């Protein structure tokens, strides 16, 4: 089921419609998500595996009916708390720098609170400086580093 969450202006005063679906399958977001995920894999910033399933939820932004950004996630019950686990988030190259990801994340935070979640988690590649800067500007902090040794 698709539901409109908000209608807000981006930094260029374009009208941004934010929508949510309880599954990514059969939404207009699926091709955008797959394209962005493939781009990250191609440059070594994502593991070569599916991060989400057809049942993963999605919040996305549209401008003039076109998908311009998305956050794909699931609600998970951790040991003691309920969390949102973000699998992927991206903004179309042509719309970066306009505050789209911040708009999406703000709506995701509202959604998470309504769903009884205590945290929002995501992983980001250490070389993805643009996303790290975006996430820290949203108040997120780095809590783990993964180390690897090639053999």
């Amino acid at each position: 089921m698709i539901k409109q969450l908000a209608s807000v202006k981006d930094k260029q005063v374009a009208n941004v419609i934010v929508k949510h679906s309880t599954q990514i399958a059969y939404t207009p977001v699926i091709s955008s998500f797959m394209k962005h995920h493939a781009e990250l894999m191609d440059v070594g910033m994502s593991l070569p595996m599916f991060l989400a399933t057809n049942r993963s939820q999605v919040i996305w932004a549209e401008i003039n009916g076109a998908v311009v950004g998305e956050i794909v996630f699931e609600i998970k019950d951790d040991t003691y708390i309920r969390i949102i686990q973000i699998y992927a988030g991206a903004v179309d190259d042509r719309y970066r720098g306009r505050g789209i990801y911040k708009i999406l994340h703000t709506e995701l935070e509202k959604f998470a609170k309504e769903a009884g979640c205590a945290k929002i988690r995501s992983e980001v590649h250490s070389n993805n400086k643009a996303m790290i800067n975006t996430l820290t500007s949203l108040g997120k902090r780095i809590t783990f580093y993964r180390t690897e040794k090639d053999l």
Side-chain angles (χ1 to χ4, degrees), residues 118-138:
K119 292 183 187 237
I120 296 174
R121 292 186 182 154
S122 60
E123 283 78 37
V124 61
H125 194 279
S126 60
N127 291 339
N128 195 342
K129 302 300 182 199
M131 184 54 89
I132 291 169
N133 291 337
T134 297
L135 295 173
T136 55
S137 78
L138 294 170

Side-chain angles (χ1 to χ4, degrees), residues 72-123:
V72 178
F73 66 95
E74 288 186 15
I75 297 175
K76 301 214 174 243
D77 290 313
D78 204 352
T79 306
Y80 301 107
I81 61 172
R82 177 172 261 205
I83 66 161
I84 294 275
Q85 176 65 50
I86 295 176
Y87 292 127
V91 173
D92 185 287
D93 291 343
R94 297 167 292 176
Y95 293 88
R96 291 188 180 156
R98 294 172 58 163
I100 304 290
Y101 196 85
K102 183 175 184 175
I103 290 168
L104 288 169
H105 204 278
T106 298
E107 292 305 317
L108 180 65
E109 287 179 30
K110 291 177 190 174
F111 177 86
K113 288 175 185 174
E114 289 174 11
C117 297
K119 292 183 187 237
I120 296 174
R121 292 186 182 154
S122 60
E123 283 78 37

Side-chain angles (χ1 to χ4, degrees), residues 2 4 28 35 38 49 52 54 76 88 100 107:
I2 295 174
Q4 182 173 322
K35 179 185 118 200
M49 58 186 272
N54 283 329
K76 301 214 174 243
I100 304 290
E107 292 305 317

